[in-house]
Amino acid sequence: CIRDRVGGTKQVDLQMIVELGPDLVLANQEENLERDVRKLAEAGLAVYVTYPRTLEQGLGVFAELGQLLGCEAAAQREEARCRAVVDTVHAAVAGRPARRAACLVWREPLVAVGDDSYGGDVMKQLGLLNVCRDLGSERRYPFVDVATLRAAAAALLLLPDEPYAWTASERDELGRALGAKVAAVDGSLLFWYGPRIARLHELAEALATALRAEP
C-alpha cells in the first residue's frame, strides 16, 4: 500500500523522504541519481543501492534485503518461488537454437538493450541471441540505426512499454523495416528484478506467441 508518493526516479522529493523518516531507503544505481542518494545518506538515512545486471544477481537481491530487513525466511521463500519459475523457463528453452533478437528502449535516437545489462541477460535466459550485444562502443545500451539492425538479421524485435511507450504504428513500421516479427512486451517483466521474476513465464509466452505469428 502506497501511503505517500515522493516523486519519480529522477525527480525525487528528498525533503519529503527525510521528513517521513524511513528506516531504510532502497535505490537503484541505474535509475536513481547519485547526488540524490548521497544527500539522503548525508541526512542520516540508511540507503541501500542495488545494481543487478544479471538474472542471478536479481535473484540474489532477495537474500540481501532479507538480511537488511530481518525477514530472511520470507525472503528465502520468495526467492525459491522465483527460482522455480526460472527453472521452468530454462527447461522450456533448453535444446532449442537461440533466436536472433533485438530489444529497443528508445525511438529518437534508437537505443537498444546491450550485453552488460539486466534486460540483456534476461533475453539470454529466455533463449534469445541479442544481436545488439556487440554493436557500438556502449555495451549496456548502444545507439543503433535501422540499417545496422537490418544487417544484424534479428528474427524477433522486442519493444517493451517502458521506458519508451511504442505506438502500434511505430511497432508496425519497425517490424516492416527490419523484416522481423515484433513482440510488444511488458517492460517490467524484462527490466524489473525482485518479485517480477516470478512472472518470467509470461514474458516467455509473449515471445513464443510473437514468433508463431504470421509475418
Side-chain angles (χ1 to χ4, degrees), residues 49-65:
V49 181
T50 61
Y51 189 32
R53 284 171 289 176
T54 67
L55 184 59
E56 182 61 33
Q57 290 173 356
L59 289 164
V61 171
F62 286 111
E64 297 168 5
L65 292 181

Side-chain angles (χ1 to χ4, degrees), residues 148-163:
T148 302
L149 288 172
R150 188 186 301 116
L156 180 65
L157 178 63
L158 281 67
L159 295 177
D161 59 6
E162 60 174 79

Side-chain angles (χ1 to χ4, degrees), residues 57-95:
Q57 290 173 356
L59 289 164
V61 171
F62 286 111
E64 297 168 5
L65 292 181
Q67 292 178 350
L68 285 170
L69 300 172
C71 56
E72 290 91 341
Q76 289 172 1
R77 288 193 297 271
E78 187 64 16
E79 180 181 343
R81 183 173 76 98
C82 291
R83 283 190 181 277
V85 173
V86 173
D87 290 343
T88 299
V89 171
H90 282 169
V93 302

